[in-house]
């Protein structure tokens, strides 16, 4: 059993809740890179843990050889072949209808579905042939997301975004956006805050959102803080149903004593959702945490698409792919 809680002790309660929820309602998860040994082992662990059905995308002979190396019964996992005309035909037709007025020809749709496993796996989700998808092991995040976005859109009023979950010192903190929008506008920052708060609730947390900057409530004054201040004003105008405030430095957001220096702050306790002003600051801070061993980091988790997709880190280990599958199944 590869329980999420076995890997990340500080998060045992939250992660066990996610695992139990998936086990109560098993899902069909398609693994786009089904020829990779680590993916095959993760898919088998997911299915053998009673969390649902695993579907591998790849060539039958290559996938079965990988299953044999892993000591698995060759009939254990379902296999879908992108090059199969019979299996790919409905996905090709659907994609062609989607892209035909974007300058694409029918043969472009054929090529995309049969040659790009991310497009094929995302097409399975779109058609209802799977509930969730995992990819990312053999491609960088941006390339994997680009393939998925050929098929899947965000629901109305939402935007795709990346979110890291940090487990440190007995607390759980969500950070967004960590992987999609390079330099969000004030409106986009407000959207990210709303979606991150919703994600926090799905993880059983009561969201307290801090809009981060290098300054706290105007001191020292910074030109770059203007976007953050405007985002807070937008949240106020929207009348959102969660606690939020900013602009504030990260130490103020996470330290109860420093937060107490600002009795007018809208959040009643330390923040558990941090909205970064840009991707570069999010990437630097989360990678620094990982390298310094200051806490466990899960993600980036992808939220904000019409179907549940998780993009594992490039070269991810079996446990990371398994965790991505559990989160993908939970977020359907």
């Amino acid at each position: 059993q590869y329980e999420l809680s076995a890997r990340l002790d500080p998060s045992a309660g939250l992660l066990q809740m996610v695992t139990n929820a998936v086990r109560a309602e098993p899902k069909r998860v398609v693994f786009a890179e089904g020829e990779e040994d680590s993916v095959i082992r993760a898919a088998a662990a997911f299915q053998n843990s009673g969390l649902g059905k695993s579907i591998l995308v790849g060539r039958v002979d290559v996938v079965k050889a990988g299953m044999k190396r892993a000591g698995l019964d060759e009939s254990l996992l379902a296999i879908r072949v992108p090059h199969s005309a019979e299996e790919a035909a409905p996905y090709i037709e659907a994609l062609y209808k989607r892209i035909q007025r974007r300058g694409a020809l029918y043969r472009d749709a054929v090529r995309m579905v049969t040659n790009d496993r991310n497009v094929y796996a995302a097409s399975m989700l779109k058609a209802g042939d799977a509930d969730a998808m995992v990819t990312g092991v053999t491609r960088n995040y941006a390339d994997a997301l680009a393939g998925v976005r050929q098929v899947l859109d965000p629901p109305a009023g939402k935007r795709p975004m990346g979110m890291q979950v940090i487990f440190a010192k007995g607390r759980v903190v969500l950070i967004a956006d960590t992987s999609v929008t390079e330099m969000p506008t004030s409106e986009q920052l407000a959207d990210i805050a709303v979606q991150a708060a919703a994600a926090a609730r799905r993880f059983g947390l009561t969201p307290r959102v801090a809009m981060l900057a290098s300054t706290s409530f105007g001191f020292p004054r910074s030109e770059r803080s203007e976007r953050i201040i405007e985002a807070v004003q937008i949240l106020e105008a929207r009348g959102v149903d969660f606690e939020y405030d900013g602009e504030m430095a990260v130490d103020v957001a996470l330290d109860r004593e420093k937060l107490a220096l600002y009795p007018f702050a809208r959040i009643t306790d330390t923040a558990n959702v941090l909205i970064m002003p840009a991707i570069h600051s999010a990437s630097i801070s989360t990678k620094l945490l990982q390298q310094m061993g200051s806490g466990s980091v899960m993600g980036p988790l992808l939220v904000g698409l019409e179907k549940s997709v998780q993009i594992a880190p490039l070269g991810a280990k079996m446990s990371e792919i398994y965790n991505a599958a559990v989160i993908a199944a939970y977020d359907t």
Side-chain angles (χ1 to χ4, degrees), residues 21 41-42 103 120-121 144 151 204 206 214 225 230 252 280 291 310 319:
R41 293 195 302 272
Y120 183 89
V151 180
T206 299
S214 60
S225 296
E230 289 175 10
V252 173
H280 64 271
Q291 291 303 312
Q310 289 304 323
S319 58

Side-chain angles (χ1 to χ4, degrees), residues 183-187 189-190 210-217 221-235 244-249 266 275-278 281:
M183 186 70 72
T185 65
S186 299
E187 192 77 30
L189 284 169
M211 312 295 287
L212 295 186
S214 60
T215 58
S216 293
F217 304 109
R221 200 68 188 170
S222 168
E223 225 177 272
R224 290 183 174 270
S225 296
E226 293 303 321
R227 287 183 302 118
I228 318 301
I229 295 168
E230 289 175 10
V232 172
Q233 292 169 348
I234 291 168
L235 291 174
Y244 65 92
D245 213 341
E247 90 282 21
M248 67 174 70
R266 291 185 178 95
I275 306 303
M276 290 290 184
S281 54

Side-chain angles (χ1 to χ4, degrees), residues 197 200-201 203-209 242-243 270-273:
R201 285 193 172 118
F203 282 120
L205 303 174
T206 299
R208 295 185 298 276
V209 178
F242 55 86
E243 293 183 12
T270 54
N272 53 18
V273 179

